Amino acid sequence: MRITFAVVSAALGIILGACSEAPRADLVLTGGRIYTGDSHLGTVEALAVSDGTIVAVGRDAEIERRVGPNTRVIELAGRFALPGFNDAHVHLAGAGQQLLSIDAAGTRSLAELQARLAARLKDFPPGAWITGRGWDQSLWPEAQTPTRDDLDAVSGDHPVLLKRVDGHSAVANSAALTIAGITAATPDPAGGTIVRDAAGRPTGWLKDKAVDLVARHIPAPTMEQLKRGLELAIADTLAHGVTSVQDDSVRSFGWAAFEALAALKQEGKLRLRVSEWLPLDAPLDQLEAWRAQGGTDDPWLKTGALKAIGDGSGGSLTAAMLAPFANAPGNTGLLLIEPDRLNELVANRAAAGFQIAVHAIGDRANRVALDAFEATARTTGKTDARHRIEHAQFIDDADLARFAKLGVIASMQPSHLLSDLRWAPAILGPAREHEGYRWHSLLQSGATLAFGTDYPVEGINPMRGLYAAITREFEAGGPIGGWQPQERLSIEQAIRAYTLGAAWAEFEEARKGTLAPGKFADIVVLSNDLLNASPQEILNATVEITIVGGQIVYQKQ
Ligand SMILES: [Zn+2]
């Protein structure tokens, strides 16, 4: 790819030498403040694109010479532009299915829930399952849990299962209960309750393990459903200025997720660049077959890292910790993979040339992942494999420098802090609070930071991540000065982690991450100059134009 480009550039250079005019560009952005992210180029006024690639950056007068009769010109009129964001950790197919389902969050009455359900029926083929989540009857004037009859009144012939906001219970309609074979005679399952009325008839409200009695009948999404969901998630992503993602869909939806993305690419609907992860514990010959089929170099869709889950999460006290949680004596969380097994898988797959990404939240899980990478580096003699730890939320002092030393990327999601601040100080306790979300310490140590969101766990909007990274405060503000303020980043450091750092994490730093000649024309135009804005202005900044490969893929109406 780069060789081809160099050859073409050299040929162009010879032609250019012959005639003194600059070649005409396909697209020119002028009159702006364009933050290139390249330390030598700095901030420029204008930029020219040919064949999807940036060919020149500089002053308006220099770049305007490249405007010809067929050049599309975007007048920035002082607006701010920067490299497209690269989200290093998303679940695109999961986000898509969530966008296809019923969002019941924030409903203020049963009638509003019914109206939301009724409004979406047309999006589902006859008889298709409808799922959703987010209702909370405590916010409703009636304060009553919805029943099967409430759903039946609007659901037609669709089986419906709507989870409560906490995910621990759900309401099913009669069609869903019938498919699951739940009647008055059905006993409660172990660990669950089928709620019944005074006459013993199931009301539709299912608690804990009883939800599974219905949920297990919901079929996996069809190829059409996968594609429709992905289209929605891709549109959401582009509308927020994210032009590349590193995606963990195959682990949840199988190879069909890659095939759905490939079909969208074929149909010209994949206008987002995707690096698709594969499950670390799949058989090696299967992984090699997928890598051969999906490729590793296509600018739009390729296979990437192998993902493993090392532990649970902080909020549920299932992250694997070296010492018990401060608010749960005796509880050190849970490793979800045995260290010996992880070492073996990492050694074996790394030897086959795969990059590996381990989900590790707790300080013990981080140590176990670093140990596996260190053991592999020792046998292969390589520290350039760019293995990565996903989340890397709590890092013991003794392990911090190991990221840089081993060349392990810290792939972190700063917007998690905006939710986690509610409980992170309490679970860590005063002695370990400094272990949390150590962005600045990692950078100082020489490690590479790659930022992302874990979409749809957090929204895809990068502005929340940038805000979190520079303030370490809640969106509404506070704690004053930020939680563990020594770990705050400058806005330029945060942007870099979200662009060039993320590009490095997917071996794409030669083609992505800055606005320099030779790189993909993946550009975002914003409402605010991020380098001269207050944290609240950054949080509220909106995307005006998203450009991928020199094409406008989103424009604010
Ligand atoms: Zn994730």
Side-chain angles (χ1 to χ4, degrees), residues 89 91 307 391 454:
H89 186 135
H91 301 265
K307 168 90 179 285
H391 312 305
D454 211 4

Side-chain angles (χ1 to χ4, degrees), residues 6-32:
V7 171
V8 172
S9 311
L12 274 176
I14 293 161
I15 297 163
L16 277 185
C19 59
S20 60
E21 285 215 1
R24 304 303 193 207
D26 300 333
L27 174 73
V28 159
L29 276 62
T30 61

Side-chain angles (χ1 to χ4, degrees), residues 131-160:
T131 59
R133 180 165 177 158
W135 56 270
D136 180 355
Q137 83 288 359
S138 73
L139 304 175
W140 300 350
E142 52 268 58
Q144 295 276 343
T145 304
T147 66
R148 63 196 290 179
D149 304 314
D150 296 329
L151 299 187
D152 290 350
V154 291
S155 58
D157 64 351
H158 298 277
V160 177

Side-chain angles (χ1 to χ4, degrees), residues 35 37-39 449 491-502 513-514:
Y35 176 67
D38 180 305
S39 51
L449 278 184
I491 184 66
E492 288 196 62
Q493 288 170 329
I495 291 172
R496 189 180 174 87
Y498 231 129
T499 51
L500 193 58
T514 63

Side-chain angles (χ1 to χ4, degrees), residues 414-434:
S415 58
H416 278 327
L417 186 86
L418 302 173
S419 308
D420 298 358
L421 259 181
R422 285 177 287 124
W423 46 257
I427 70 168
L428 292 171
R432 284 182 305 189
E433 273 195 57
H434 69 282

Side-chain angles (χ1 to χ4, degrees), residues 49 52 96 152 184 212 365 462:
V49 175
D152 290 350
D212 299 343

